[in-house]
Amino acid sequence: MTRITTAMNPTQVLDTLRRADGYFITNTARDMSQSDYKNRILLHTDLLAAPSRDAAGYFSLEITGGASIHVDILRKQVDPFLKLKLLREQMPDTLFQTLCRGVNLFGYRPYPQNVIRLTVREFAKYVDVWRTFDFMNHVPNMQAVFEEVAKAGKINEPSICFSTGPEHTDQFYVDKVKEIMAVTGEEIILCIKNHGGLGTPKRIGDLVDAIKQAYPELIIHYHGHNTDGNDIGRITAAVLNGATIVDASDHAFNGFYGPPPILSVIQTLKDYGKTAIDINEEAVIETSETIHDQRPYYEQFEAQIKGFLPTVQIHKLPGGAMGSSLEQAAKGGFLNKMPDILHHELPRVQKELGNWWSVTPGSQILWTTAVSNVLDGERYGNPSGDLKNLLLGKYGPFPFYSPADWIYEKVFGPDWKDILEKEGGILEIEDMDIDQERRTLTERLGREPTEQQLVTFLQHPNDAVEFFKFEEKFGKSYVLPPSIFLRRGGFALGETLVFQDYTGKEHLIEIGPEQQDKKGETTIYLNVDHHQQIFVFEPEQQAGTNVKPSLSKEEIADLAKAGDIRAGFSGNVCEISVEAGQDVAVGDRVAILEAMKMQTPVVSEVAGKVAKISVKVGQALQPGDKILKIDVDGE
């Protein structure tokens, strides 16, 4: 059979898949990075793996999308478009695949239609297969992406998000497939997105069989996670019942919460007489041999809890959220409470809120709600803005049943029915003035941005600007290997670093000398490949100075009633909703804080005039930090 390559158009690809006598494999490198290493696998490592991955004969390589685009600019200092360009140069034959959250794109909340369409158009210049999902399985939330992917001549791979429970029947999912194809037509690949690694092999086999019985010509792509150690069993059942493509990843970097190893999938299915079409097993092995010595540098990002977690069948937290949730628990000092959160509160919250699908951004809503319920000791007493939007139906209708009235009353107060009637319904977002956003970005950068920089900015404004400025100041740091980029403990003056980039070219960095002036500013000299660079650092703040007093939750609430608005939790300022001198009423939104990917509006407890704003957009706050001051009417 002819190998599927980038030279083929979508019709040729789909025809090849339909004629398949065996199954194809997608290497989900992005999902492996997100699930087991908090998205920290560097471009340097992917570029080392690129030649052998290209030779391996995969149906596709999932290498972008999901949270990776945000982490690219936030933590890895690499342009997500440049990453695709460089990888394409090394992988000319393999289809590139992305994971797109529908109306949420590569972010955490809905975007305007014109932003969605512009983003898809730009990424479609590099991405061949678009796996698109919606955490409520609400098809209208995916429609704009479907349309733009088709216009770009790329492959649509709509997803049905899978979960378990009495509502999650084969018939429900078959009907959902019908609803999808009413929008997309039949020239698609359908993904069963089992993002949590839920259900048994039999359950997945039955679902694949039910869909194939209803739509025999439909190409099914099974995606799962190995959180419970059982996904090879689910993959086997999927293939035996008619799935044409399955997901796995390189064994050198396999962990616990991502996809299972490619080679183990191949070896298992051989005994069932199923062939991995066009797969070059030597290239699969070569990939892991090429990158296995880099794994120790990523150890710091692996999950705090090692081992498979069969309890995922209870809490249903997806692989991509497991590592980040454990990291948040460790940093927040509540790792000891994880058993209670995962095994009792999280499944309880999931049932109370409708038993829909725990995947971004729904997984964050469930997680933050469960954590707040446990840590605060008052269930639903500290709702996020995203939970409120969920209850208002802003993300789409509840697929099975609505939460109980007492939850609405707890979240919105005694007037919850009036609020639901006035504010309920799908969130309608007006098109953004993209030309104005381009001018804003131009002003913040001091130069005209590229169209791709604009797209990145439209999704993650503050982090994008910080990244662009970082790159202008320090250059393109993706050439650094993980041994340098992820090194812990700092670098000593006088130290010489020698390393090779992904092409094998050797580089040298000499650190120092250091000078300090009378103002306390420190100048450090770097010799990079025999070219001197100079960096000036402001004086470090002396320990014990400007220490902010800690405030209790009750004290913060009392200050708010006096017009002194403080941060109630650790988070970043993502919006200042008012200006100095502006009149505000009780309940008016004055700011929005973001924490754990969730946005929470800060509202005024008083009527008055904004006297002072103490923060800027993008600023990190701790509990008790000042946000703004309102002069109360009559005072």
Side-chain angles (χ1 to χ4, degrees), residues 433-454:
D433 186 340
I434 291 178
D435 287 337
Q436 177 57 50
E437 294 301 312
R438 184 182 285 105
R439 289 191 291 270
T440 298
L441 181 55
T442 299
E443 182 178 343
R444 294 182 69 176
L445 293 181
R447 59 172 175 79
E448 186 80 18
T450 67
E451 200 72 358
Q452 292 174 353
Q453 287 177 324
L454 175 63

mmCIF file of all heavy atoms in Angstrom, residues 433-454:
data_model
loop_
_atom_site.group_PDB
_atom_site.id
_atom_site.type_symbol
_atom_site.label_atom_id
_atom_site.label_comp_id
_atom_site.label_asym_id
_atom_site.label_seq_id
_atom_site.Cartn_x
_atom_site.Cartn_y
_atom_site.Cartn_z
ATOM 1 N N ASP A 433 -12.293 43.529 16.786
ATOM 2 C CA ASP A 433 -11.720 44.471 15.826
ATOM 3 C C ASP A 433 -10.245 44.093 15.662
ATOM 4 O O ASP A 433 -9.376 44.569 16.404
ATOM 5 C CB ASP A 433 -11.864 45.909 16.327
ATOM 6 C CG ASP A 433 -11.415 46.946 15.305
ATOM 7 O OD1 ASP A 433 -10.659 46.581 14.377
ATOM 8 O OD2 ASP A 433 -11.810 48.115 15.435
ATOM 9 N N ILE A 434 -9.976 43.223 14.708
ATOM 10 C CA ILE A 434 -8.624 42.681 14.554
ATOM 11 C C ILE A 434 -7.630 43.764 14.146
ATOM 12 O O ILE A 434 -6.469 43.755 14.586
ATOM 13 C CB ILE A 434 -8.635 41.508 13.551
ATOM 14 C CG1 ILE A 434 -9.399 40.330 14.193
ATOM 15 C CG2 ILE A 434 -7.214 41.083 13.179
ATOM 16 C CD1 ILE A 434 -9.522 39.123 13.311
ATOM 17 N N ASP A 435 -8.066 44.714 13.347
ATOM 18 C CA ASP A 435 -7.168 45.815 12.978
ATOM 19 C C ASP A 435 -6.758 46.624 14.209
ATOM 20 O O ASP A 435 -5.602 47.045 14.329
ATOM 21 C CB ASP A 435 -7.838 46.730 11.942
ATOM 22 C CG ASP A 435 -7.917 46.078 10.568
ATOM 23 O OD1 ASP A 435 -7.105 45.171 10.298
ATOM 24 O OD2 ASP A 435 -8.794 46.463 9.783
ATOM 25 N N GLN A 436 -7.717 46.830 15.118
ATOM 26 C CA GLN A 436 -7.393 47.554 16.346
ATOM 27 C C GLN A 436 -6.438 46.730 17.211
ATOM 28 O O GLN A 436 -5.498 47.278 17.812
ATOM 29 C CB GLN A 436 -8.667 47.866 17.139
ATOM 30 C CG GLN A 436 -8.414 48.557 18.472
ATOM 31 C CD GLN A 436 -7.646 49.859 18.328
ATOM 32 O OE1 GLN A 436 -8.003 50.719 17.512
ATOM 33 N NE2 GLN A 436 -6.572 50.023 19.094
ATOM 34 N N GLU A 437 -6.642 45.414 17.263
ATOM 35 C CA GLU A 437 -5.734 44.550 18.025
ATOM 36 C C GLU A 437 -4.334 44.574 17.419
ATOM 37 O O GLU A 437 -3.338 44.537 18.146
ATOM 38 C CB GLU A 437 -6.273 43.120 18.061
ATOM 39 C CG GLU A 437 -7.572 42.954 18.833
ATOM 40 C CD GLU A 437 -7.440 43.387 20.282
ATOM 41 O OE1 GLU A 437 -6.471 42.966 20.944
ATOM 42 O OE2 GLU A 437 -8.304 44.158 20.757
ATOM 43 N N ARG A 438 -4.278 44.651 16.101
ATOM 44 C CA ARG A 438 -2.965 44.738 15.439
ATOM 45 C C ARG A 438 -2.263 46.045 15.824
ATOM 46 O O ARG A 438 -1.061 46.059 16.087
ATOM 47 C CB ARG A 438 -3.123 44.642 13.917
ATOM 48 C CG ARG A 438 -1.788 44.617 13.163
ATOM 49 C CD ARG A 438 -1.982 44.578 11.680
ATOM 50 N NE ARG A 438 -2.414 43.262 11.202
ATOM 51 C CZ ARG A 438 -3.657 42.966 10.810
ATOM 52 N NH1 ARG A 438 -4.601 43.906 10.830
ATOM 53 N NH2 ARG A 438 -3.956 41.767 10.396
ATOM 54 N N ARG A 439 -3.032 47.137 15.884
ATOM 55 C CA ARG A 439 -2.453 48.414 16.288
ATOM 56 C C ARG A 439 -2.002 48.365 17.750
ATOM 57 O O ARG A 439 -0.950 48.916 18.104
ATOM 58 C CB ARG A 439 -3.473 49.539 16.073
ATOM 59 C CG ARG A 439 -3.718 49.874 14.609
ATOM 60 C CD ARG A 439 -4.512 51.160 14.452
ATOM 61 N NE ARG A 439 -5.885 51.008 14.903
ATOM 62 C CZ ARG A 439 -6.890 50.616 14.123
ATOM 63 N NH1 ARG A 439 -6.657 50.315 12.840
ATOM 64 N NH2 ARG A 439 -8.111 50.523 14.595
ATOM 65 N N THR A 440 -2.788 47.706 18.584
ATOM 66 C CA THR A 440 -2.414 47.572 19.997
ATOM 67 C C THR A 440 -1.110 46.795 20.140
ATOM 68 O O THR A 440 -0.209 47.193 20.901
ATOM 69 C CB THR A 440 -3.527 46.858 20.778
ATOM 70 O OG1 THR A 440 -4.722 47.645 20.718
ATOM 71 C CG2 THR A 440 -3.126 46.642 22.235
ATOM 72 N N LEU A 441 -0.998 45.701 19.396
ATOM 73 C CA LEU A 441 0.228 44.905 19.455
ATOM 74 C C LEU A 441 1.414 45.693 18.905
ATOM 75 O O LEU A 441 2.527 45.625 19.451
ATOM 76 C CB LEU A 441 0.045 43.594 18.685
ATOM 77 C CG LEU A 441 1.240 42.633 18.679
ATOM 78 C CD1 LEU A 441 1.689 42.303 20.091
ATOM 79 C CD2 LEU A 441 0.896 41.365 17.904
ATOM 80 N N THR A 442 1.186 46.452 17.850
ATOM 81 C CA THR A 442 2.241 47.292 17.284
ATOM 82 C C THR A 442 2.744 48.287 18.327
ATOM 83 O O THR A 442 3.960 48.491 18.492
ATOM 84 C CB THR A 442 1.720 48.049 16.050
ATOM 85 O OG1 THR A 442 1.325 47.109 15.048
ATOM 86 C CG2 THR A 442 2.789 48.969 15.478
ATOM 87 N N GLU A 443 1.804 48.869 19.057
ATOM 88 C CA GLU A 443 2.177 49.850 20.085
ATOM 89 C C GLU A 443 2.966 49.189 21.215
ATOM 90 O O GLU A 443 3.968 49.738 21.692
ATOM 91 C CB GLU A 443 0.914 50.512 20.634
ATOM 92 C CG GLU A 443 1.188 51.585 21.679
ATOM 93 C CD GLU A 443 -0.086 52.252 22.171
ATOM 94 O OE1 GLU A 443 -1.121 52.116 21.499
ATOM 95 O OE2 GLU A 443 -0.041 52.886 23.239
ATOM 96 N N ARG A 444 2.541 48.001 21.621
ATOM 97 C CA ARG A 444 3.211 47.327 22.733
ATOM 98 C C ARG A 444 4.605 46.808 22.348
ATOM 99 O O ARG A 444 5.495 46.719 23.192
ATOM 100 C CB ARG A 444 2.340 46.184 23.255
ATOM 101 C CG ARG A 444 1.046 46.679 23.894
ATOM 102 C CD ARG A 444 0.212 45.553 24.461
ATOM 103 N NE ARG A 444 0.839 44.928 25.635
ATOM 104 C CZ ARG A 444 0.278 43.968 26.354
ATOM 105 N NH1 ARG A 444 -0.942 43.523 26.021
ATOM 106 N NH2 ARG A 444 0.901 43.443 27.391
ATOM 107 N N LEU A 445 4.771 46.472 21.058
ATOM 108 C CA LEU A 445 6.067 45.953 20.605
ATOM 109 C C LEU A 445 6.982 47.052 20.073
ATOM 110 O O LEU A 445 8.202 46.874 20.012
ATOM 111 C CB LEU A 445 5.860 44.900 19.507
ATOM 112 C CG LEU A 445 5.192 43.585 19.906
ATOM 113 C CD1 LEU A 445 5.091 42.661 18.697
ATOM 114 C CD2 LEU A 445 5.940 42.898 21.043
ATOM 115 N N GLY A 446 6.377 48.163 19.648
ATOM 116 C CA GLY A 446 7.173 49.222 19.033
ATOM 117 C C GLY A 446 7.537 48.916 17.598
ATOM 118 O O GLY A 446 8.453 49.530 17.035
ATOM 119 N N ARG A 447 6.825 48.001 16.978
ATOM 120 C CA ARG A 447 7.070 47.629 15.580
ATOM 121 C C ARG A 447 5.835 46.893 15.050
ATOM 122 O O ARG A 447 4.965 46.472 15.807
ATOM 123 C CB ARG A 447 8.288 46.719 15.449
ATOM 124 C CG ARG A 447 8.166 45.425 16.226
ATOM 125 C CD ARG A 447 9.288 44.451 15.929
ATOM 126 N NE ARG A 447 9.199 43.270 16.768
ATOM 127 C CZ ARG A 447 8.373 42.248 16.560
ATOM 128 N NH1 ARG A 447 7.542 42.278 15.530
ATOM 129 N NH2 ARG A 447 8.360 41.204 17.374
ATOM 130 N N GLU A 448 5.774 46.731 13.743
ATOM 131 C CA GLU A 448 4.665 46.024 13.109
ATOM 132 C C GLU A 448 4.825 44.519 13.313
ATOM 133 O O GLU A 448 5.866 43.952 12.999
ATOM 134 C CB GLU A 448 4.639 46.341 11.610
ATOM 135 C CG GLU A 448 3.449 45.777 10.864
ATOM 136 C CD GLU A 448 2.186 46.602 11.039
ATOM 137 O OE1 GLU A 448 2.304 47.783 11.450
ATOM 138 O OE2 GLU A 448 1.098 46.073 10.768
ATOM 139 N N PRO A 449 3.810 43.843 13.855
ATOM 140 C CA PRO A 449 3.921 42.391 14.052
ATOM 141 C C PRO A 449 3.639 41.632 12.761
ATOM 142 O O PRO A 449 3.010 42.157 11.836
ATOM 143 C CB PRO A 449 2.839 42.107 15.091
ATOM 144 C CG PRO A 449 1.776 43.126 14.788
ATOM 145 C CD PRO A 449 2.527 44.368 14.356
ATOM 146 N N THR A 450 4.074 40.393 12.707
ATOM 147 C CA THR A 450 3.690 39.514 11.600
ATOM 148 C C THR A 450 2.268 39.011 11.851
ATOM 149 O O THR A 450 1.736 39.119 12.959
ATOM 150 C CB THR A 450 4.631 38.308 11.496
ATOM 151 O OG1 THR A 450 4.438 37.475 12.659
ATOM 152 C CG2 THR A 450 6.087 38.748 11.413
ATOM 153 N N GLU A 451 1.654 38.440 10.828
ATOM 154 C CA GLU A 451 0.299 37.910 10.983
ATOM 155 C C GLU A 451 0.283 36.754 11.986
ATOM 156 O O GLU A 451 -0.662 36.599 12.758
ATOM 157 C CB GLU A 451 -0.240 37.451 9.623
ATOM 158 C CG GLU A 451 -1.755 37.326 9.561
ATOM 159 C CD GLU A 451 -2.467 38.670 9.552
ATOM 160 O OE1 GLU A 451 -1.802 39.721 9.631
ATOM 161 O OE2 GLU A 451 -3.707 38.675 9.459
ATOM 162 N N GLN A 452 1.339 35.968 11.999
ATOM 163 C CA GLN A 452 1.403 34.843 12.927
ATOM 164 C C GLN A 452 1.595 35.325 14.363
ATOM 165 O O GLN A 452 1.032 34.748 15.299
ATOM 166 C CB GLN A 452 2.516 33.888 12.505
ATOM 167 C CG GLN A 452 2.203 33.184 11.187
ATOM 168 C CD GLN A 452 3.340 32.331 10.672
ATOM 169 O OE1 GLN A 452 4.444 32.349 11.219
ATOM 170 N NE2 GLN A 452 3.083 31.576 9.611
ATOM 171 N N GLN A 453 2.357 36.373 14.548
ATOM 172 C CA GLN A 453 2.481 36.957 15.891
ATOM 173 C C GLN A 453 1.138 37.510 16.356
ATOM 174 O O GLN A 453 0.786 37.390 17.535
ATOM 175 C CB GLN A 453 3.539 38.058 15.893
ATOM 176 C CG GLN A 453 4.964 37.537 15.792
ATOM 177 C CD GLN A 453 5.983 38.652 15.712
ATOM 178 O OE1 GLN A 453 5.737 39.699 15.096
ATOM 179 N NE2 GLN A 453 7.150 38.440 16.310
ATOM 180 N N LEU A 454 0.389 38.095 15.438
ATOM 181 C CA LEU A 454 -0.934 38.610 15.782
ATOM 182 C C LEU A 454 -1.844 37.474 16.237
ATOM 183 O O LEU A 454 -2.570 37.607 17.231
ATOM 184 C CB LEU A 454 -1.546 39.332 14.581
ATOM 185 C CG LEU A 454 -2.987 39.833 14.755
ATOM 186 C CD1 LEU A 454 -3.059 40.882 15.859
ATOM 187 C CD2 LEU A 454 -3.516 40.386 13.431
#
